[in-house]
C-alpha cells in the first residue's frame, strides 16, 4: 500500500515538472537577443540638445554578441577631430557588477532584465578626472527590440550639468 502511494506521488511530481517546464523555457526564451551588427539611424533617434564639438551621447555603430550570461558590445564612433575610436564593453546578464576600462577611465555596470524579460537595463557609473577634479557620472540604458531588426536604447545620463535623456535607434544589418 505504501509503495503504491509513493509511486503516485512520484508520478504526480514528474507530471507537474513536465507541465511547468514549457512555462519556464518560454519565460527564458522570451528575452531578446541583441546579437548582431547595429547601424545608428539618426532620423529615427531623438538626441535632444547636444553640445557642439564635444562628446555626443548616442550614435555610432556597434556589434553585439550575446549568450545566456553575457553581452559584449564593440562600438565604433568618430571623435570630434575625425579619428575613429573603437571600444569594447562586456556585461554579465545576471545582475553582477561588470568592470570595463576605456580611455576615459574605469566604469562599473550592472545589467538586469525587466520583470517581463523584454528589456535590459544597464546602469553604469564612471569615475573620471576633469580639470583636476574627480567626477562621477551615472548612465542608465534601457535596451529593447521594437521589432526583430530595430533596437531602441533609451539613455538617461546624470551629469554635473543636470540630467540628459536621449533615445538612439539602430537598424540591424
Amino acid at each position: 500500500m505504501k509503495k503504491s502511494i509513493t509511486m503516485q506521488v512520484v508520478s504526480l511530481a514528474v507530471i507537474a515538472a513536465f507541465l511547468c517546464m514549457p512555462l519556464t523555457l518560454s519565460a527564458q526564451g522570451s528575452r531578446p537577443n541583441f546579437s548582431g551588427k547595429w547601424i545608428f539611424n539618426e532620423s529615427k533617434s531623438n538626441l535632444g540638445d547636444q553640445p557642439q564639438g564635444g562628446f555626443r551621447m548616442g550614435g555610432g555603430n556597434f556589434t553585439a554578441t550575446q549568450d545566456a550570461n553575457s553581452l559584449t558590445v564593440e562600438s565604433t564612433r568618430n571623435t570630434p577631430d575625425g579619428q575613429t575610436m573603437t571600444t569594447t564593453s562586456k556585461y554579465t546578464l545576471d545582475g553582477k557588477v561588470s568592470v570595463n576600462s576605456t580611455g576615459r577611465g574605469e566604469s562599473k555596470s550592472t545589467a538586469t532584465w525587466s520583470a517581463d524579460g523584454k528589456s535590459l537595463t544597464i546602469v553604469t557609473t564612471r569615475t573620471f578626472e576633469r580639470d583636476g577634479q574627480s567626477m562621477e557620472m551615472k548612465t542608465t540604458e534601457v535596451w529593447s527590440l521594437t521589432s526583430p531588426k530595430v533596437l531602441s536604447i533609451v539613455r538617461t545620463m546624470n551629469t554635473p550639468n543636470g540630467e540628459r535623456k536621449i533615445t538612439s535607434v539602430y537598424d540591424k544589418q
Side-chain angles (χ1 to χ4, degrees), residues 57 130 135-139 156-165:
M57 284 177 54
R130 184 174 180 180
M135 303 182 96
E136 185 176 277
M137 191 166 45
K138 183 178 178 180
T139 305
T156 305
M157 181 182 290
N158 295 315
T159 72
N161 299 327
E163 184 178 280
R164 291 173 50 202
K165 187 174 186 175

Side-chain angles (χ1 to χ4, degrees), residues 47-120:
L47 301 181
D49 294 329
Q50 295 281 331
Q52 296 297 317
F55 174 73
R56 289 175 49 91
M57 284 177 54
N61 303 329
F62 68 91
T63 300
T65 308
Q66 180 180 335
D67 61 29
N69 295 316
S70 68
L71 174 67
T72 302
V73 179
E74 185 175 290
S75 304
T76 304
R77 66 178 52 218
N78 293 324
T79 63
D81 62 359
Q83 299 292 321
T84 301
M85 182 174 78
T86 301
T87 58
T88 301
S89 300
K90 296 181 181 188
Y91 308 99
T92 60
L93 301 178
D94 58 4
K96 293 180 182 171
V97 175
S98 303
V99 178
N100 289 289
S101 295
T102 67
R104 294 187 204 111
E106 186 177 87
S107 65
K108 294 181 180 181
S109 304
T110 304
T112 54
W113 291 102
S114 62
D116 64 3
K118 293 184 179 183
S119 64
L120 180 68

